[in-house]
Amino acid sequence: MTTKELTFEKSVEKDHPPQEEVLFHPHTITALIVLVAFMFYAATRSNYENTAENIKLGILASIACFVCIGMLQFPDGPFVRPSKPVWRAVLSLSVLYQLFLVFLLFLNKDDARQFMTYYDSSLGVPLPERSYADACELTYSNVMDQLDIFVIAHALGWFGKALILRDYWFCWIISIAFELCEYSLAHQLNNFAECWWDHWILDVLICNWLGIEVGMKFCQYFSCKQYSWVGFRQIKSLRGKAKRAVQQFTPREWTRFEWKATSSPRNYFGTVLLLIIFLECELNCFYLKYLLWVPPEHPLNTYRLILLFLFALPGAREVYQYLSDNNTNRLGAHAWLLIFNIMTETLICLKFSENEFHASAPIVVKVGWSIVFSVLLVIFPLWRFVFDPVKNEEGLVKKD
C-alpha cells in the first residue's frame, strides 16, 4: 500500500465516524462498473436522428464522465465538507472551464459570437447601450429608477466575496478599487458611467456594505461555532438526524484569514496580486458580456458567477495557506487553476477588444493609475521592506 493510500485512509478515519466510513470511502470499482454500464446504455439506446441533439447529449455526457473521473482520481483540496469528492468535482469543472476558455481564445470575435448561438439561438445579437448617468439629480424617482434585480445580485456577490476572503479590510479595498475602475473605464463601457450617488451610496454604502457585513457575520459564526460530528446511527430523534444532515454542509473547522500583507515581501506582493486578480475577475464579467453579446439578465452570466464562486472558495484558502505558511512551497491546484481561468478570460477580452474601443483614456486616468501602481509596487515596498524592514512572522494555519 502506498503512502498516499495510507494518508487517505487515515483522513477518512479522522473525518468520519467508523460507522459512516462506508459512505465516504472511495468506491472506485463500483463507480467504474456504473460508468461502463452507463456508456453501454448510451451507445445502444441514444441513436437519435437529430444530429444537433446527439452532439449536445455527447458533450453533456463527456462533461459528466470527466467530472466523475475527477471525483475519483483528482487530488484532495483544502476542504473536507460536505465531502472531498464534491471539491474534486469542483476542480474538474475548473479544468473543463479552462479548456473551454482556451478553445474560445483561438476563435475570432465573430466566430465566438456565432459559437454562443449554438447554446442559445437568441444570442449573437448586438446589445443595446445603456447608461446609468442620464439623470443624476439625487431625487426619489431617480433613485427608484436605478433599483432592479441587479441590486440584490450585487449584495449577494459581496456576501460571497466576504466568505471567500474572510477579511473586512480586503473586501473594502476591493470594493472601493472597483468603483475607481468603473470611473476609469467609463469611456469604454457605457454601463460603467453612473451617477456619483449610484457609485458611492447605492453600490458602496448600501449593497457592498450589506453583503460584506452579512458575509463576515457568517464567518464569525462559523469560527465560533461548536461542532459535534456525531454519527447518524448514534442520533435517536428524527429532528436530530435532520440537524446532523444539515451540519454536513457546514465546515468541519473554520480558519480566520489574517493576510498580514505588510509582514513580509512575499505576503505583500502575494496580497497585491490577489487584489489585482479579483479586480480582473470583476471586470471580465462586464467585458465578456459586452464583447460576446450576452445580455446581463442571461443565465450564462449567473452560471459563470456560481462556478467562479465555487472555484474561489478553495482557491483563496490555498493562496492563504501558501502565503501564511512558510513550509508550503507549492500553490494548490484550485488556486493555480483559478488564476489560470481569470488570466485566460482577460486574454480573451484583450483579443476581442481590438477595434471595439476607439476613445482613449483621459489623462487623469493614466496619471492616476500610474501613481497608484508606482506606490503599490515600488515606493511602499521599498519603504516598508528596505528602509524600514519588519521581521518575518511564520504563520501556521489549520486545514478547513
Side-chain angles (χ1 to χ4, degrees), residues 295-312:
E297 64 277 3
H298 197 278
L300 276 178
N301 297 311
T302 305
Y303 300 155
R304 174 189 173 274
L305 292 175
I306 293 173
L307 281 177
L308 288 176
F309 172 71
L310 292 175
F311 301 162

Side-chain angles (χ1 to χ4, degrees), residues 135-146:
C136 286
E137 294 81 8
L138 185 54
T139 63
Y140 178 79
S141 60
N142 287 341
V143 172
M144 294 305 295
D145 287 341
Q146 302 290 7

Side-chain angles (χ1 to χ4, degrees), residues 116-302:
M116 302 300 288
T117 62
Y118 295 133
Y119 172 78
D120 186 347
S121 59
S122 66
L123 298 175
V125 180
L127 300 181
E129 294 187 359
R130 181 184 177 184
S131 174
Y132 293 89
D134 294 331
C136 286
E137 294 81 8
L138 185 54
T139 63
Y140 178 79
S141 60
N142 287 341
V143 172
M144 294 305 295
D145 287 341
Q146 302 290 7
L147 298 180
D148 52 23
I149 189 63
F150 296 108
V151 172
I152 300 175
H154 199 133
L156 285 176
W158 279 102
F159 169 76
K161 293 181 187 73
L163 293 183
I164 293 168
L165 295 171
R166 311 183 193 179
D167 185 271
Y168 271 112
W169 283 105
F170 211 151
C171 289
W172 278 113
I173 289 171
I174 292 177
S175 172
I176 295 172
F178 181 73
E179 297 302 322
L180 296 177
C181 288
E182 285 192 325
Y183 274 115
S184 305
L185 297 169
H187 63 284
Q188 292 186 347
L189 297 181
N190 280 340
N191 60 348
F192 279 168
E194 298 177 351
C195 302
W196 68 267
W197 46 264
D198 198 349
H199 277 295
W200 302 110
I201 298 179
L202 285 183
D203 286 355
V204 175
L205 295 181
I206 296 180
C207 294
N208 295 7
W209 173 82
L210 181 63
I212 293 171
E213 187 67 21
V214 175
M216 291 306 299
K217 291 298 181 184
F218 267 70
C219 294
Q220 293 171 9
Y221 170 75
F222 286 132
S223 64
C224 299
K225 182 179 177 182
Q226 297 293 320
Y227 294 103
S228 177
W229 299 105
V230 182
F232 285 100
R233 296 179 182 177
Q234 296 176 344
I235 300 174
K236 303 297 183 182
S237 66
L238 182 62
R239 180 179 178 182
K241 290 180 183 291
K243 183 179 179 181
R244 173 61 182 83
V246 172
Q247 283 184 328
Q248 186 63 34
F249 293 90
T250 60
R252 183 170 62 91
E253 295 177 345
W254 187 267
T255 301
R256 179 184 175 185
F257 288 0
E258 296 178 359
W259 294 96
K260 298 180 181 178
T262 59
S263 63
S264 69
R266 170 174 166 166
N267 277 42
Y268 177 77
F269 286 106
T271 306
V272 170
L273 288 175
L274 184 61
L275 167 66
I276 293 173
I277 288 170
F278 255 81
L279 290 176
E280 272 189 63
C281 184
E282 293 284 308
L283 293 173
N284 288 346
C285 178
F286 292 91
Y287 277 93
L288 287 173
K289 286 188 295 186
Y290 176 83
L291 295 169
L292 294 177
W293 293 348
V294 180
E297 64 277 3
H298 197 278
L300 276 178
N301 297 311
T302 305

Side-chain angles (χ1 to χ4, degrees), residues 337-350:
L337 268 170
L338 174 66
I339 295 171
F340 199 11
N341 292 159
I342 295 172
M343 297 301 291
T344 309
E345 284 185 344
T346 305
L347 290 175
I348 292 171
C349 294
L350 291 174

